[in-house]
Amino acid sequence: MKFMADKKGTLYLCATPIGNLGDISSRCLEILESVDVIAAEDTRRTLQLLNHFGITKALTSYHEHNKKSKGDYIINLLLEGKNVAQVSDAGTPAISDPGEDLVRLAIENGIEVTSIPGPVAGINALILSGLPTSRYAFEGFLSTNKRNRYEHLKSVQKDTHTLIFYEAPHKLLSTLKDMKQYFGGERKIALARELTKLHEEILRTTLDGALEYYAEKSPRGEYVLIVEGASEVATDEECFWQDLSVTEHVDHYIDGGIQQKDAIKKVAQDRGIPKREVYNEYHNI
Ligand code: SAM
């Protein structure tokens, strides 16, 4: 049975810098000083942040792997009247970070939730991209599972919103290749790297251009990929294959009486990707 205080605590969602410590807000520091407990995604990293600003505070971990049990624990603290600040590794909690679940739990328990706004890597990259910002869709990370990844890309292939993706450096190349397969090599992309840090870099190019650039350079640091939305003028004729997977695309030509080898060649031409890639995808290699 949960102990209920006369007054429940408040859950503060505190945005922290995504690289430059100068981006912390004075309100965020005040809240971190004033709460009873800080729920941190990575307690070591948050401790460094707190040490930098001379704040001493009780920390508890709340991350992807303990969020179920820790979620209940934190909700109990809030029900007991304690104020809790939630911080993620970097940026705004609940944006591709654990936090979403805690917010939902808090709301279900009638706990007040408020936010101390600050940096979000995706929005920062979007405004620097030079691509349309009036309508955009946040897509977060692509799954590492191939099938889910392809389904995700396919689902936004015709989306006309500017698309925001997060990516880790070691997966950047394969992500660019997969994006080219679904969006075509001509689609514009801005790769925002190490935002707010010393080596901040924005590469504004196309998917072909990005692949060429990273053929000679190793991706380093944290990336946000801002991808141009699909063109509204693309006709069904030009893009009849956009809703098809690579395999369905090959089968479409085979069903039309074309030999498998030639069908693979045509698909590679349509999509602007190497024949080997189509072959491997078709044969599940
Ligand atoms: N909650 C964070 C936010 O508000 O943006 C995002 C957390 S998510 C786990 C981490 C991802 O955000 C990284 O893999 C990268 O894609 C992106 N990211 C975070 N900091 C970044 C930076 N300084 N420059 C570019 N991308 C960054």
Side-chain angles (χ1 to χ4, degrees):
M1 175 110 163
K2 285 172 187 166
F3 166 75
M4 299 273 283
D6 288 348
K7 191 171 176 341
K8 295 172 190 171
T10 297
L11 175 64
Y12 294 90
L13 305 177
C14 292
T16 54
I18 55 170
N20 190 322
L21 290 181
D23 292 335
I24 198 143
S25 72
S26 50
R27 197 153 82 90
C28 183
L29 291 175
E30 271 168 34
I31 295 296
L32 293 178
E33 293 241 35
S34 73
V35 291
D36 298 294
V37 179
I38 299 175
E41 184 181 8
D42 180 339
T43 48
R44 272 181 309 175
R45 197 156 167 184
T46 300
L47 197 57
Q48 283 171 2
L49 182 85
L50 296 180
N51 286 342
H52 181 87
F53 290 105
I55 298 172
T56 312
K57 189 64 58 179
L59 284 175
T60 190
S61 71
Y62 178 80
H63 50 69
E64 201 50 45
H65 307 291
N66 72 359
K67 65 182 183 185
K68 243 188 140 105
S69 57
K70 266 308 177 66
D72 289 342
Y73 169 74
I74 294 166
I75 293 298
N76 268 327
L77 291 179
L78 288 155
L79 290 173
E80 284 167 14
K82 304 264 193 310
N83 290 322
V84 178
Q86 197 202 354
V87 299
S88 57
D89 263 6
T92 297
I95 299 295
S96 284
D97 263 330
E100 191 181 339
D101 293 351
L102 191 59
V103 171
R104 190 178 31 75
L105 266 184
I107 293 167
E108 280 169 12
N109 282 276
I111 291 160
E112 190 183 329
V113 185
T114 188
S115 69
I116 313 300
V120 180
I123 296 298
N124 209 23
L126 175 70
I127 61 170
L128 292 170
S129 68
L131 293 168
T133 58
S134 53
R135 297 189 68 198
Y136 60 86
F138 180 71
E139 299 298 326
F141 288 97
L142 288 171
S143 170
T144 45
N145 173 290
K146 261 194 168 187
R147 196 189 166 134
N148 295 343
R149 199 176 164 77
Y150 293 157
E151 271 170 15
H152 188 163
L153 287 171
K154 190 173 164 185
S155 73
V156 291
Q157 201 168 36
K158 281 182 165 178
D159 197 329
T160 53
H161 297 86
T162 301
L163 305 172
I164 305 175
F165 293 92
Y166 283 168
E167 196 47 285
H170 63 282
K171 288 192 275 160
L172 181 74
L173 262 183
S174 62
T175 291
L176 292 174
K177 284 181 189 161
D178 289 343
M179 284 183 169
K180 173 172 169 166
Q181 215 178 102
Y182 285 85
F183 304 147
E186 294 299 303
R187 192 79 81 92
K188 286 186 191 157
I189 181 170
L191 298 93
R193 189 175 84 82
E194 298 286 86
L195 290 166
T196 76
K197 300 184 194 175
L198 188 62
H199 299 292
E200 173 175 297
E201 180 186 58
I202 320 285
L203 176 66
R204 300 176 184 90
T205 179
T206 58
L207 279 165
D208 275 340
L211 279 164
E212 207 174 300
Y213 184 83
Y214 282 107
E216 293 175 3
K217 216 175 163 180
S218 307
R220 279 209 182 151
E222 300 193 90
Y223 284 84
V224 180
L225 310 178
I226 307 293
V227 180
E228 181 187 27
S231 154
E232 305 214 23
V233 295
T235 63
D236 284 350
E237 180 60 24
E238 279 171 319
C239 298
F240 76 91
W241 48 266
Q242 281 217 342
D243 278 342
L244 304 180
S245 67
V246 168
T247 302
E248 288 165 344
H249 193 171
V250 174
D251 284 337
H252 164 86
Y253 283 127
I254 293 174
D255 292 346
I258 295 175
Q259 297 272 324
Q260 190 190 98
K261 191 166 140 252
D262 295 326
I264 287 176
K265 194 169 160 190
K266 274 175 85 62
V267 170
Q269 276 167 357
D270 286 349
R271 292 178 182 248
I273 56 175
K275 270 188 296 182
R276 169 127 321 263
E277 242 174 75
V278 180
Y279 181 90
N280 288 349
E281 178 69 21
Y282 190 69
H283 291 284
N284 246 329
I285 294 172

